Amino acid sequence: MADAKVESAADSSSTAALLQNTNATSQPNNPLSRKLNKILETRLDNDKEMLEALTALSEFFTENSLRTRRNLRGDIERRSLAINEDFARIFKEVKEELESVHEDVQAMSTCCAEMTSRLKAAKEQTQDLIVKTNKLQGENRRLEVRAQVAQAFLAKFQLSSEEMSTLRGARDAPISEDFFKALSRVKQIHEDVKILLRTNQQTAGLEIMEQMAVLQEAAYEQLYRWAQNECRGLTQEMCDISPILTQAMEALQDRPVLYKYTLDEFGTARRSAVVRGFIDALTRGGPGGTPRPIEMHSHDPMRYLGDMLAWLHQATASEREHLEALLKSVTLQDVEDNMQEVVGHITEGVCRPLKVRIEQVIVAEPGAVLLYKLSNLLKFYHHTISSIVGTGAAALLMTIEEMHMLSKKMFFNSLSLHASRLMDKVELPPPDLGPTTSLTQTLALLREVLASHDSSVVPVGARQADFAQVLSCILDPLLQLCTVSASNLGTADMATYMVNSLYVMKTTLALFEFTDKRLEMLEFQIEAHLDTLINEQASYVLTRAGLSYIYNCVQQHDAKQGPLSLVPGMDVSSVKAAMVQFDRYLSSPDSLAMPQLNFLLSAAIKEQIFSQSTELVCRAYGEVHAALNSPANAYKDPERLLPRSPQQVRALLL
């Protein structure tokens, strides 16, 4: 329809243009013509309003007829009127709504004004209250800060109710881990409160310090009573040190007096347990009779004494371990001295029964060797126990040392008595010039003593000192005995007897340590007597070989007396006869030996005597040979008189 209308309008425009072209020349100034020309010249494509108008017109202009074209203006006006009426109606509704809103806004404004006036009045009335409220709020904040500070102060410098109840428990209440935590807290507060004393809070600091001091004393008193009761109960042979008791001793070290009293209580309880255990071990034995009672071995002194000392050694070590467990957390500098003192107090109770029994064994005089073994055993246990407890167990160590000195004294008395008996009745040397029976028995005794000495576990230094004394006590009387016994013998017999006796002593001592000095002394004495035997053997050979007289003449001859051949007995015939006899000796040199040499106990010594005496014989022959070959002695043809040179003789003899 719109297209049709547009087409109609276009046709009309074409017609009008045509009319215009035809009439332009005739009516150039007609207004209608100008309007039509303006309309016709209009470009509808660019006129948006015209297009919108035409679009709106197409909605109700449905029929393009003459009638509708004539009534178009009226239709447009009626349509415009209807639109305006609708707009007025709608605007009226809007106006009514706006008036309602205006009324509401007016009411709200009135209410707000009323509320503002009321608030203003209320503000004027509550101004003082607000000021007071702000002031109270500020004060409240300050009080809250002060409360927090006070709570922190109380948390740092006061105990909680649980800690207070723990420290102020019943008199016989048990001690737990919480008690030590509370006590540690009290000590910490007592240390921290010293900070307050350096500030302006000295009064509070002094009050808190006094309060903590009172609590500490009460806590230490309760802890001391509990520890005493615990220590009194440690009377069993095998006691168990609880960790709580160890902590109690660690805490009590801050109170030296209470700490000392608790240790004394522990020592008293353990002392009674050790004494009872020692008596039971002596008389009743172990549980069920195993091990057997120690006194059942009283007939065997070594085992009897060894069992007692071994039990004491074990008991001392056990008590040392108990004390170490009790005081392992104590940090005092003199804790080692305390331990030694307590162990000494514990073991002091067994000193009397131990001393009585050891004295009974020693006084019974079991023999020198057994006394020496007992002495070494006592010395060993003295050293062993002292290495465990130091010098603290003074009473026990002193008792063992006294018994050691007593057994040692009895031992040396026994040796001295034995030596005096030897000197009272000196035994004469036997016919074979060997050691006497008394010497053999005494050396057997010495051998047993030295054997027990070597097997001893006593420290080397102590053994060496005892060894020198033992040797002096036995060897010196033996040497004197041998000298007195051989005083009536001849030179060779005496030397042989002394060499045999000294040789036996030397072989006995050579088996043991610490005998070097004595062996050296015996060697010197043997050498002295060997010199005698060597000289005697050389004299014996020279005499039997016929050179003794000639050798003596050669040694005693003086050139001023004239030639040696003029000396009586030194003529050629006498010298020839002596040389014949000497030749027989050269043919069998072993045949000329003193009878005493067959009694020597040592083949080496006998060989030494033969060798050195033969050397002397060769030397004597050399001197004789030189003298007879000397022209000053006026021997004719000395080569025939002495056909063998000294070198030949030496070759034959050596």
Side-chain angles (χ1 to χ4, degrees):
M1 181 62 69
D3 295 337
K5 291 178 180 179
V6 172
E7 290 176 358
S8 297
D11 293 339
S12 297
S13 299
S14 300
T15 303
L18 181 60
L19 289 176
Q20 183 179 3
N21 292 327
T22 59
N23 295 326
T25 59
S26 61
Q27 297 177 348
N29 297 323
N30 191 350
L32 180 61
S33 298
R34 291 194 300 271
K35 186 175 290 189
L36 286 174
N37 290 330
K38 183 178 181 181
I39 293 172
L40 292 174
E41 292 174 356
T42 302
R43 299 287 295 179
L44 294 178
D45 295 337
N46 298 328
D47 193 351
K48 293 183 179 182
E49 293 180 356
M50 180 61 72
L51 290 175
E52 290 178 356
L54 292 176
T55 301
L57 180 63
S58 65
E59 293 178 359
F60 63 89
F61 190 78
T62 60
E63 184 180 357
N64 188 7
S65 63
L66 179 63
R67 179 180 172 274
T68 57
R69 288 195 297 271
R70 289 178 178 176
N71 295 329
L72 178 62
R73 185 180 184 89
D75 291 338
I76 292 172
E77 290 177 351
R78 283 192 296 273
R79 185 174 178 81
S80 177
L81 180 60
I83 291 172
N84 289 332
E85 288 177 353
D86 289 338
F87 179 77
R89 181 180 53 79
I90 294 172
F91 188 77
K92 182 180 180 181
E93 293 177 359
V94 171
K95 178 178 174 294
E96 290 175 356
E97 290 294 331
L98 287 175
E99 288 177 353
S100 176
V101 171
H102 176 71
E103 291 176 359
D104 292 339
V105 171
Q106 190 68 28
M108 289 176 65
S109 176
T110 303
C111 183
C112 287
E114 183 181 355
M115 290 180 66
T116 302
S117 63
R118 289 174 63 184
L119 285 173
K120 185 177 181 181
K123 184 177 181 181
E124 291 175 356
Q125 293 175 1
T126 60
Q127 183 68 31
D128 294 339
L129 181 60
I130 292 173
V131 173
K132 290 181 180 179
T133 301
N134 292 333
K135 184 177 180 181
L136 289 175
Q137 287 178 347
E139 185 68 23
N140 185 36
R141 285 192 293 271
R142 288 193 298 274
L143 289 175
E144 287 178 353
V145 173
R146 294 181 65 182
Q148 292 176 358
V149 172
Q151 289 177 357
F153 182 86
L154 292 176
K156 186 173 183 61
F157 294 104
Q158 291 293 326
L159 298 178
S160 64
S161 58
E162 292 80 4
E163 292 173 335
M164 292 290 290
S165 61
T166 300
L167 289 178
R168 292 179 174 176
R171 182 180 181 87
D172 298 330
I175 300 297
S176 64
E177 188 71 27
D178 295 335
F179 180 88
F180 295 103
K181 293 180 180 178
L183 182 58
S184 176
R185 174 86 173 124
V186 171
K187 292 169 63 177
Q188 186 63 41
I189 293 174
H190 195 273
E191 290 297 322
D192 293 343
V193 80
K194 294 178 181 178
I195 301 174
L196 296 178
L197 299 179
R198 295 196 292 269
T199 64
N200 56 356
Q201 302 295 330
Q202 295 183 359
T203 302
L206 290 174
E207 290 179 356
I208 294 174
M209 183 175 286
E210 182 179 357
Q211 181 185 8
M212 293 300 110
V214 172
L215 281 174
Q216 269 188 321
E217 293 305 321
Y220 279 123
E221 184 66 26
Q222 181 179 356
L223 184 62
Y224 165 66
R225 289 195 299 268
W226 178 85
Q228 267 198 327
N229 291 332
E230 287 292 312
C231 290
R232 288 193 186 103
L234 299 176
T235 56
Q236 300 82 10
E237 186 172 349
M238 297 300 294
C239 68
D240 185 17
I241 306 298
S242 64
I244 299 297
L245 184 57
T246 301
Q247 282 186 285
M249 295 305 298
E250 180 184 5
L252 286 175
Q253 66 179 330
D254 293 334
R255 294 295 184 272
V257 175
L258 301 181
Y259 171 81
K260 182 67 168 58
Y261 286 165
T262 306
L263 271 184
D264 291 344
E265 194 68 38
F266 176 84
T268 301
R270 295 308 305 158
R271 173 173 175 162
S272 62
V274 170
V275 172
R276 184 173 62 253
F278 183 59
I279 298 301
D280 289 345
L282 288 172
T283 58
R284 300 174 59 183
T290 305
R292 301 173 66 187
I294 296 176
E295 289 192 343
M296 292 190 66
H297 306 291
S298 58
H299 61 281
D300 184 355
M302 278 297 293
R303 180 171 181 179
Y304 181 48
L305 187 58
D307 288 350
M308 287 192 293
L309 293 175
W311 191 95
L312 286 176
H313 172 243
Q314 182 180 2
T316 305
S318 298
E319 296 306 317
R320 171 79 181 196
E321 291 175 358
H322 295 158
L323 265 176
E324 288 176 349
L326 181 68
L327 305 180
K328 66 179 180 181
S329 301
V330 176
T331 58
L332 294 176
Q333 293 182 353
D334 58 345
V335 64
E336 181 63 28
D337 295 336
N338 291 335
M339 293 176 65
Q340 293 183 8
E341 182 180 353
V342 174
V343 172
H345 176 68
I346 292 173
T347 56
E348 186 178 0
V350 300
C351 293
R352 182 60 185 171
L354 176 67
K355 184 177 181 180
V356 169
R357 285 164 175 79
I358 296 178
E359 283 180 343
Q360 290 176 350
V361 173
I362 294 174
V363 173
E365 296 184 1
V369 176
L370 192 53
L371 283 171
Y372 190 66
K373 290 182 178 179
L374 295 177
S375 174
N376 287 335
L377 184 64
L378 288 165
K379 187 68 176 179
F380 165 72
Y381 275 104
H382 181 277
H383 175 74
T384 304
I385 294 176
S386 64
S387 66
I388 296 175
V389 300
T391 58
L396 178 60
L397 293 178
M398 188 179 299
T399 300
I400 296 176
E401 180 64 21
E402 288 178 359
M403 296 299 97
H404 163 67
M405 296 306 296
L406 177 60
S407 61
K408 189 174 179 180
K409 180 180 178 182
M410 294 293 291
F411 165 68
F412 285 112
N413 287 342
S414 177
L415 293 183
S416 300
L417 180 61
H418 182 81
S420 63
R421 288 175 179 172
L422 292 177
M423 297 305 297
D424 289 343
K425 186 179 181 181
V426 178
E427 186 178 359
L428 296 177
D432 59 358
L433 300 179
T436 60
T437 304
S438 57
L439 176 62
T440 304
Q441 292 175 351
T442 305
L443 288 177
L445 173 63
L446 177 62
R447 190 180 298 108
E448 290 185 24
V449 171
L450 297 184
S452 64
H453 183 278
D454 273 359
S455 62
S456 172
V457 286
V458 175
V460 175
R463 283 194 292 158
Q464 189 170 2
D466 292 344
F467 203 92
Q469 190 174 359
V470 169
L471 293 180
S472 298
C473 194
I474 294 181
L475 284 184
D476 292 344
L478 281 181
L479 292 174
Q480 184 180 0
L481 174 66
C482 293
T483 303
V484 174
S485 178
S487 58
N488 295 325
L489 297 177
T491 304
D493 291 343
M494 179 180 179
T496 303
Y497 171 72
M498 291 300 297
V499 167
N500 285 334
S501 299
L502 293 172
Y503 174 76
V504 173
M505 296 181 195
K506 178 182 174 182
T507 54
T508 301
L509 295 183
L511 301 175
F512 304 100
E513 57 182 352
F514 309 131
T515 59
D516 295 341
K517 292 183 179 180
R518 284 288 178 171
L519 288 174
E520 186 178 356
M521 181 197 71
L522 292 175
E523 187 66 32
F524 287 154
Q525 294 184 5
I526 291 175
E527 290 293 336
H529 292 292
L530 280 180
D531 290 341
T532 301
L533 286 176
I534 291 169
N535 291 328
E536 289 294 323
Q537 172 64 15
S539 298
Y540 182 82
V541 171
L542 291 175
T543 301
R544 299 297 188 275
L547 283 183
S548 177
Y549 179 76
I550 297 175
Y551 179 64
N552 290 332
C553 290
V554 169
Q555 283 190 321
Q556 297 174 5
H557 178 68
D558 190 357
K560 297 178 181 180
Q561 298 176 358
L564 185 62
S565 59
L566 300 178
V567 176
M570 291 297 295
D571 55 284
V572 175
S573 59
S574 298
V575 172
K576 281 185 177 181
M579 288 302 105
V580 171
Q581 189 175 354
F582 186 71
D583 286 342
R584 287 197 297 269
Y585 163 69
L586 292 179
S587 62
S588 58
D590 294 337
S591 61
L592 293 181
M594 291 190 304
Q596 290 85 351
L597 297 184
N598 296 323
F599 298 143
L600 290 173
L601 298 178
S602 172
I605 291 177
K606 184 176 180 180
E607 182 66 27
Q608 180 182 356
I609 293 173
F610 269 116
S611 176
Q612 295 186 11
S613 62
T614 304
E615 180 68 30
L616 292 179
V617 171
C618 293
R619 191 181 304 169
Y621 179 79
E623 293 181 9
V624 171
H625 185 276
L628 295 182
N629 280 277
S630 175
N633 291 320
Y635 283 103
K636 296 180 180 181
D637 198 7
E639 291 78 4
R640 294 182 61 188
L641 188 62
L642 297 175
R644 291 183 176 86
S645 65
Q647 291 76 17
Q648 292 175 335
V649 171
R650 180 178 295 274
L652 291 172
L653 293 179
L654 299 178

